[in-house]
Amino acid sequence: MAADGNMKPAKKLSLKENYAMLTRGLDWEPTYQKKEDIFRMIDFEGIKIHDWDKWEDPFRLTMDAYWKYQGEKERKLYAIIDAFQQGNGQFNVTDARYLQALKIFLTGIVELEYASHRGFCMLGREFPGAGPRIAAQMQSIDELRHCTTQIHAISHYSKYFEGMANFPEQFDRVWYLSIPKSFFEDACTSGPFEFIVAISFAFEYVLTNLAFMPWMSGAAFNGDMSTVSFGFSAQSDEARHMTLGIEVIKFLLEQDPANVALVQKWIDKWFWRGYRLLALLATMMDYVLPKRVMSWGEAWTIYYEENGGALFADLARYGIKPPKYADVTIKEKGRVSHEMWSVFYANRDAVNFSTWLPSEEEMAWFSEKYPDTFDKYYRPRFEHWRQLEKEGKPFTCKCLPQLCQVCQWPCLYTEPDDATEFLHRETEYKGETFHFCSDGCKDIFADEPEKYVHAWLPVNQIYQGNCFLPGVDPTAPDFNPLVEALKYMGLKPGVDGGLLKDSIDAQRWEQWTSRPANIHEGAYTDFVRKTTNG
Amino acid sequence: MPVKAIAPNYHGDFKDTQDKYHGQQLISLCWEKHTSFGWPMCMPVPPEMPFGGLIEKVIPHIFGDHPDFAKIQWDQVQWSTSKGPFVPDPAKSLAEHGIKHKHQIRFRTPGLDGHLGGG
């Protein structure tokens, strides 16, 4: 080029060209190794892909743009968290009961972000197409960021309140947390196509609104600016993940007609597994949040029946049907949170959050939101238990549950058409009996029994004597497997679990804030009684 | 298909076979209609335990606090497993009743359908 003073730089690439260079231009056909040796996991599931270039990433996000956007969001998020901490924001939440929701979130959800990060890492390695590989890598980074920012957003509470410091250990050991844990382990041990249908479509696209909207609105409504800021920071990522989910489905369905049956099977399976996982959320929304955003029943109507209905109507042109047993979820929507809270209350000494009974005012709200079920089945139960509490002998469950071999929930659900009958489903495989919480889980087992026969079921492991700390002698005459199992889970009496009114968090909350630890129950301690009766 | 796996003929080892329970077996016990108990109860018991021991010791310990419990007429109780109804013999063992590892024993108490409708 002549040094004539007229040097013009090459034209800057458009975002679309930049993305194409990144996802197509940087890829190459291998010559030293066979392609099937490099991408070993891509064929065994039976999905057929003819042209990876047909993949259209709807966001066409390039690396430089990604880092810039995410960096800006991080700076805003941490500025808010700093301000929250300096302003003693932990005392501006509704009450100490709200903190129990945070404990469920921290132990039940945060680790799933990490598990999801691992799953998308796997896809970022295994997909032969550069487009989806880049998308999976970015989502993997997103999920890791969500995990760390959630931990940071909640860590401040851990300086003041109990029960949050050991969340990774609890995730691995507390019995009911095997439910979220096994959900992602099932997904991560599937092939790459099942994983992406499971997580990107069935979970992120169909169900994540249910997890995200009510939880984050609930945080905002209860004055938790730290957690809600995380929610805003993650929202644009979630939008991208959801769009990836729908793109994946359309790509798979358009590639080969033989893919339709497999995709349908995975939608059925993962919709059901995701729905069962969300039962934890149903409980949180209806029973734990002191100020409620909406009921679980309302949320299911809006986010699944209406939104999901429109989605599956749209997918009908590919031959995809609404998920199997969607009708059961609708039949269960007036029951699931009440059934769930009943077992958490009755087993309150074996969980990592405190419980309580709903107040008169709360039960009136349930009667209004659940006119067909609450007064008939659950109000009499809670009133009876309230009476037992007054008599000083609160109801406690005395035995561990029979667990579902697939989702690992206790078999606590009732017949879809009769809320007074326990639902019994079992099967015999190679001479051994396996129990299930539902037809949905039974079908999943029947399709791949060899995957679930070696599920690590907490109750069964406790009884085998595998859940106690080193040095404990299970042959000692005073050995109590249940007490030792609680120690193994890291649950301390009076600190984790139990009744909220007896908990150390409630005592301290009232001492520090002079406000009731549970706005629905009035004062637990003299610190508040002095103020309110003043 | 037993499982979709990269390796052919993948076999998952059973995690809960009876030999892992130190001479005992798991059973589940469910008092039908009494949903306030939350779930069918799972516990290890010796296979040679007489059925009468289940009725006299195990069941009262777990379910005894319920207002319906004292009203149970034991000769009226309907017993069943997933294989159908049976009439227990208190003197005979669980094994002699054909109750195997991880089997579920259900009992129904007609007329006692849970406290005030609340299970």
Side-chain angles (χ1 to χ4, degrees):
Chain A
M1 194 180 289
D4 58 3
N6 282 324
M7 203 174 77
K8 291 235 168 53
K11 210 180 154 205
K12 196 167 177 274
L13 291 177
S14 72
L15 215 58
K16 196 174 171 181
E17 289 164 327
N18 193 335
Y19 174 79
M21 295 290 277
L22 181 75
T23 58
R24 309 299 195 268
L26 279 183
D27 202 23
W28 67 90
E29 283 300 315
T31 50
Y32 301 160
Q33 300 286 339
K34 280 186 273 176
K35 205 162 183 180
E36 56 267 34
D37 291 341
I38 299 173
F39 302 108
R40 290 164 306 151
M41 295 194 193
I42 215 67
D43 294 320
F44 80 95
E45 296 172 276
I47 287 283
K48 293 186 175 63
I49 304 295
H50 303 288
D51 183 2
W52 282 98
D53 280 341
K54 289 274 166 58
W55 175 277
E56 282 286 338
D57 184 345
F59 277 80
R60 296 199 185 94
L61 195 58
T62 60
M63 285 296 175
D64 46 354
Y66 178 80
W67 296 124
K68 189 171 145 240
Y69 294 150
Q70 301 300 75
E72 277 171 15
K73 287 197 294 185
E74 291 281 271
R75 277 191 293 280
K76 284 180 197 153
L77 173 65
Y78 283 98
I80 295 171
I81 293 177
D82 268 357
F84 176 83
Q85 295 181 351
Q86 285 166 25
N88 276 326
Q90 74 279 0
F91 297 134
N92 294 334
V93 297
T94 307
D95 59 14
R97 169 169 147 171
Y98 174 76
L99 303 168
Q100 313 311 309
L102 283 181
K103 291 180 194 177
I104 300 175
F105 187 84
L106 182 63
T107 50
I109 304 292
V110 172
E111 292 275 352
L112 297 191
E113 304 276 12
Y114 189 73
S116 184
H117 150 69
R118 295 174 63 190
F120 280 100
C121 260
M122 178 184 83
L123 302 193
R125 163 66 182 82
E126 293 300 338
F127 278 145
R133 211 157 63 221
I134 295 277
Q137 282 168 6
M138 285 180 180
Q139 182 157 352
S140 173
I141 299 165
D142 287 343
E143 304 292 359
L144 187 59
R145 193 178 78 89
H146 293 182
C147 176
T148 52
T149 47
Q150 284 169 9
I151 293 168
H152 285 150
I154 296 176
S155 68
H156 180 63
Y157 290 95
S158 186
K159 297 173 197 161
Y160 294 85
F161 303 106
E162 298 286 347
M164 301 183 202
N166 296 323
F167 69 94
E169 188 186 324
Q170 291 187 337
F171 180 71
D172 285 335
R173 295 188 174 190
V174 174
W175 62 274
Y176 81 96
L177 295 172
S178 81
I179 297 156
K181 186 180 168 73
S182 72
F183 174 90
F184 256 98
E185 286 183 350
D186 190 348
C188 287
T189 52
S190 303
F193 290 111
E194 181 175 344
F195 180 91
I196 203 164
V197 170
I199 304 305
S200 293
F201 181 72
F203 200 62
E204 297 267 12
Y205 196 82
V206 184
L207 298 172
T208 209
N209 265 337
L210 269 149
F212 231 73
M213 296 301 292
W215 204 296
M216 292 309 150
S217 321
F221 206 34
N222 285 282
D224 181 2
M225 289 309 147
S226 185
T227 304
V228 82
S229 303
F230 156 76
F232 284 130
S233 157
Q235 208 165 28
S236 55
D237 301 340
E238 294 298 335
R240 186 154 35 79
H241 301 170
M242 288 176 68
T243 315
L244 178 65
I246 193 71
E247 173 59 27
V248 164
I249 285 293
K250 291 184 173 170
F251 174 68
L252 293 181
L253 295 173
E254 284 169 9
Q255 281 291 309
D256 197 292
N259 293 345
V260 176
L262 272 175
V263 168
Q264 180 75 54
K265 184 175 88 169
W266 292 332
I267 290 175
D268 292 348
K269 170 181 173 180
W270 288 97
F271 169 78
W272 187 258
R273 288 220 65 175
Y275 165 70
R276 272 292 183 251
L277 180 60
L278 289 185
L280 208 50
L281 184 83
T283 320
M284 198 279 309
M285 285 173 65
D286 280 351
Y287 280 86
V288 184
L289 287 181
K291 293 182 187 168
R292 297 176 179 84
V293 181
M294 62 171 75
S295 72
W296 166 257
E298 289 167 323
W300 194 250
T301 307
I302 295 170
Y303 293 114
Y304 178 69
E305 289 176 66
E306 291 170 11
N307 293 2
L311 165 68
F312 284 102
D314 181 45
L315 290 176
R317 63 201 160 99
Y318 292 103
I320 289 293
K321 296 190 288 285
K324 203 176 177 186
Y325 301 121
D327 58 323
V328 176
T329 67
I330 296 163
K331 287 176 183 176
E332 284 185 352
K333 73 180 175 181
R335 297 188 235 160
V336 67
S337 65
H338 314 299
E339 291 175 341
M340 201 73 63
W341 188 248
S342 298
V343 302
F344 280 131
Y345 174 81
N347 297 276
R348 59 195 169 274
D349 293 328
V351 290
N352 63 321
F353 56 92
S354 301
T355 61
W356 51 87
L357 288 171
S359 69
E360 275 305 322
E361 173 211 347
E362 292 182 279
M363 289 201 287
W365 188 83
F366 289 138
S367 301
E368 182 198 322
K369 296 295 180 187
Y370 297 105
D372 300 330
T373 54
F374 187 75
D375 287 347
K376 202 167 162 193
Y377 306 119
Y378 310 109
R379 178 185 283 275
R381 172 184 305 178
F382 291 133
E383 286 176 345
H384 175 56
W385 287 353
R386 173 73 70 186
Q387 181 58 32
L388 291 178
E389 268 195 20
K390 278 189 193 142
E391 292 167 15
K393 44 179 189 185
F395 175 70
T396 309
C397 180
K398 296 200 174 61
C399 191
L400 304 182
Q402 170 195 299
L403 299 181
C404 174
Q405 190 74 24
V406 171
C407 72
Q408 308 204 5
W409 273 113
C411 295
L412 62 91
Y413 300 95
T414 45
E415 279 291 346
D417 293 311
D418 188 349
T420 69
E421 294 284 359
F422 282 111
L423 181 149
H424 304 304
R425 298 289 184 278
E426 62 174 62
T427 197
E428 206 175 292
Y429 179 69
K430 293 187 178 170
E432 185 153 318
T433 304
F434 296 93
H435 298 280
F436 309 101
C437 73
S438 57
D439 289 312
C441 284
K442 187 172 183 234
D443 284 5
I444 294 168
F445 181 91
D447 189 53
E448 290 189 291
E450 293 289 344
K451 184 163 192 178
Y452 299 97
V453 290
H454 57 177
W456 196 96
L457 299 181
V459 169
N460 305 32
Q461 291 299 317
I462 289 169
Y463 285 143
Q464 285 177 32
N466 295 336
C467 301
F468 40 83
L469 297 170
V472 172
D473 177 10
T475 59
D478 58 347
F479 173 72
N480 181 334
L482 302 188
V483 170
E484 294 303 333
L486 290 183
K487 288 184 194 162
Y488 171 83
M489 295 176 206
L491 299 178
K492 293 184 283 296
V495 177
D496 303 290
L499 291 174
L500 181 65
K501 67 185 167 78
D502 301 330
S503 78
I504 189 84
D505 279 347
Q507 307 281 320
R508 286 177 184 155
W509 174 271
E510 299 202 346
Q511 193 173 349
W512 290 337
T513 69
S514 299
R515 298 190 338 253
N518 178 352
I519 57 166
H520 298 284
E521 293 216 300
Y524 289 144
T525 67
D526 287 338
F527 296 105
V528 179
R529 278 186 210 109
K530 272 186 220 148
T531 322
T532 49
N533 297 341
Chain B
M1 187 172 296
V3 70
K4 278 265 170 121
I6 311 173
N9 303 318
Y10 176 88
H11 170 66
D13 286 332
F14 286 30
K15 204 85 174 172
D16 298 317
T17 45
Q18 192 174 348
D19 58 295
K20 299 181 173 72
Y21 288 87
H22 317 289
Q24 299 195 310
Q25 67 174 74
L26 289 185
I27 57 163
S28 303
L29 265 179
C30 183
W31 187 5
E32 301 285 28
K33 291 275 182 195
H34 291 74
T35 50
S36 64
F37 283 103
W39 48 45
M41 307 288 172
C42 176
M43 72 209 71
V45 290
E48 60 274 13
M49 179 185 199
F51 209 94
L54 205 62
I55 297 175
E56 283 151 33
K57 295 211 176 80
V58 178
I59 289 179
H61 170 70
I62 298 173
F63 299 106
D65 291 342
H66 195 280
D68 279 353
F69 192 78
K71 299 180 213 156
I72 297 177
Q73 292 177 288
W74 288 96
D75 55 344
Q76 304 284 309
V77 173
Q78 298 164 353
W79 298 88
S80 65
T81 66
S82 61
K83 306 213 171 11
F86 70 99
V87 180
D89 179 342
K92 285 191 175 162
S93 70
L94 295 176
E96 285 170 305
H97 282 85
I99 308 287
K100 295 203 179 107
H101 180 52
K102 292 168 80 181
H103 278 194
Q104 189 189 49
I105 302 170
R106 306 160 192 168
F107 63 107
R108 191 175 286 276
T109 50
L112 300 174
D113 293 335
H115 186 55
L116 303 172

